[in-house]
Amino acid sequence: MKLIKRRAALAAAFCALQLVHAAPAQADWKPDHPIRLIVPFAPGAATDISARTISDHLAAALGQPVVIDNQGAASGTVGTAAAARAAPDGYTWVLAHDPPFTILPHVRKLGYDPLKDFEPVALIATIPMVLVVRPGLPVNSIRELIDAARTRPGQMTIASSGTGATSHLAAELFKYETQTNILHVPYKGQAQGVTDVLGGQVDMIFSSFGPVVQHIRSGRLKALGISVPKRYASLPEVPTIAESGVPGFDFSVWTGIAVPAGTPQAIRDTIAAAVAKALQVPEVRARFDGLGFVPGDGDPQALRRKIQGDYAKWKQVIHAARIQIE
């Protein structure tokens, strides 16, 4: 009996010792082979650029390569679905982005649930948009634009890079929140839309900063408002739409890192810390600033709020505007 008790005590002590050693290993997760970051869009897209800008810095922080795996098909839903099916072991990440996470779930049947099948890990960047109008349009503020649109319902026009594109959705959100009737004119790309606003064929467009900033500075386009609650540092003279008569208006494209649901918290914390570190690198911040990206801080809750808030917002706007995306 004494021998049995002694063995039991030794076994308990051994288990306790194993737990003591296991806890730091879990808390200090270090990958031991390359990590795959699925970017569900084609190389060269803004989302792809945001991932590639920080991938080497993430690899340096984690001690393993972070390999970009572009799976650009079906507006990002194919790559996102592949990530949802991956093992929750920290070695497969996905670049979370608005369409496959918060927009397309309301217009298509998808092979994943963005709210249940993923854990948000870190917000990489938000990409504000600016509402620009043709120089000859006799309005100089958001308030004047709203008044003009209400006076001439259905006669003013707003371009986009295509039905369901971010510029289209920004336009629909603006129309929804201002209760205006502005005719949507879809193009096959942002450049074409901007060109026709410059030429006076269309009245306005929501655009990221890259394609229009030089035209704003040269006076060829008038910038009326920034789409996020905080003014953009490189165009501080342009007010936000929210402060210009549309309280609460907030629209931005965003990217972040998400992992399959069930990935342990310690692994998620390690990835988030690596992202936060990468986003503080001066060359990363300079690159983002040149592209009109506002870097995040690696906060998991910031990405969670983006996903949940935008999911609810786009459900309401898409249904109200009866937007159909093929």
Side-chain angles (χ1 to χ4, degrees):
M1 181 65 70
K2 288 182 179 180
L3 182 60
I4 293 174
K5 289 182 177 179
R6 183 180 177 186
R7 286 178 176 174
L10 286 172
F14 178 75
C15 289
L17 185 61
Q18 290 292 97
L19 288 173
V20 168
H21 286 293
Q26 177 75 344
D28 300 326
W29 177 77
K30 296 290 286 185
D32 59 14
H33 59 272
I35 293 161
R36 179 174 63 142
L37 171 52
I38 296 176
V39 175
F41 296 92
T47 46
D48 179 68
I49 292 170
S50 72
R52 291 181 186 276
T53 300
I54 66 169
S55 60
D56 287 346
H57 301 285
L58 293 173
L62 295 170
Q64 290 292 331
V66 175
V67 181
I68 304 294
D69 178 9
N70 291 99
Q71 296 190 27
S75 301
T77 59
V78 170
T80 304
R85 296 190 298 267
D89 57 8
Y91 290 97
T92 299
W93 311 347
V94 66
L95 192 76
H97 184 43
D98 327 42
F101 270 75
T102 64
I103 297 169
L104 296 176
H106 306 303
V107 294
R108 293 182 189 170
K109 185 176 182 180
L110 303 176
Y112 60 89
D113 184 329
L115 302 184
K116 295 179 180 179
D117 293 340
F118 296 96
E119 289 288 353
V121 172
L123 180 67
I124 296 175
T126 55
I127 307 173
M129 302 189 84
V130 57
L131 179 59
V132 294
V133 301
R134 59 182 176 86
L137 194 69
V139 299
N140 295 294
S141 69
I142 292 293
R143 186 72 263 167
E144 290 181 6
L145 176 63
I146 294 170
D147 290 343
R150 288 176 177 169
T151 302
R152 302 163 50 202
Q155 297 180 46
M156 299 183 74
T157 54
I158 187 163
S160 81
S161 56
T163 301
T166 52
S167 52
H168 176 209
L169 292 168
E172 293 298 340
L173 180 64
F174 181 79
K175 290 159 59 178
Y176 176 79
E177 295 200 357
T178 59
Q179 296 298 294
T180 52
N181 179 6
I182 302 172
L183 179 64
H184 171 228
V185 182
Y187 286 80
K188 292 183 178 180
Q190 190 77 356
Q192 294 177 359
V194 171
T195 296
D196 273 11
V197 176
L198 283 165
Q201 287 85 6
V202 187
D203 291 321
M204 68 195 89
I205 190 171
F206 273 96
S207 175
S208 55
F209 289 94
V212 297
V213 66
Q214 293 304 320
H215 300 308
I216 293 170
R217 288 172 175 158
S218 69
R220 296 187 66 201
L221 289 173
K222 290 190 287 187
L224 298 189
I226 305 297
S227 67
V228 292
K230 185 178 180 180
R231 293 194 184 198
Y232 184 55
S234 295
L235 289 171
E237 72 280 7
V238 181
T240 68
I241 294 173
E243 70 181 282
S244 303
V246 192
F249 189 91
D250 185 4
F251 178 93
S252 63
V253 180
W254 49 263
T255 64
I257 298 292
V259 294
T263 302
Q265 182 69 52
I267 294 176
R268 285 149 43 200
D269 290 345
T270 300
I271 299 169
V275 174
K277 184 177 180 180
L279 292 173
Q280 293 303 315
V281 175
E283 66 186 74
V284 169
R285 299 185 77 84
R287 173 72 167 149
F288 277 11
D289 184 62
L291 293 167
F293 297 1
V294 178
D297 58 7
D299 178 13
Q301 294 308 314
L303 181 58
R304 188 180 299 278
R305 287 192 296 271
K306 273 287 184 188
I307 293 172
Q308 293 178 345
D310 282 7
Y311 185 96
K313 175 174 68 180
W314 290 124
K315 180 179 181 180
Q316 186 174 13
V317 172
I318 286 170
H319 289 177
R322 298 181 181 178
I323 298 172
Q324 295 183 347
I325 305 171
E326 296 301 326

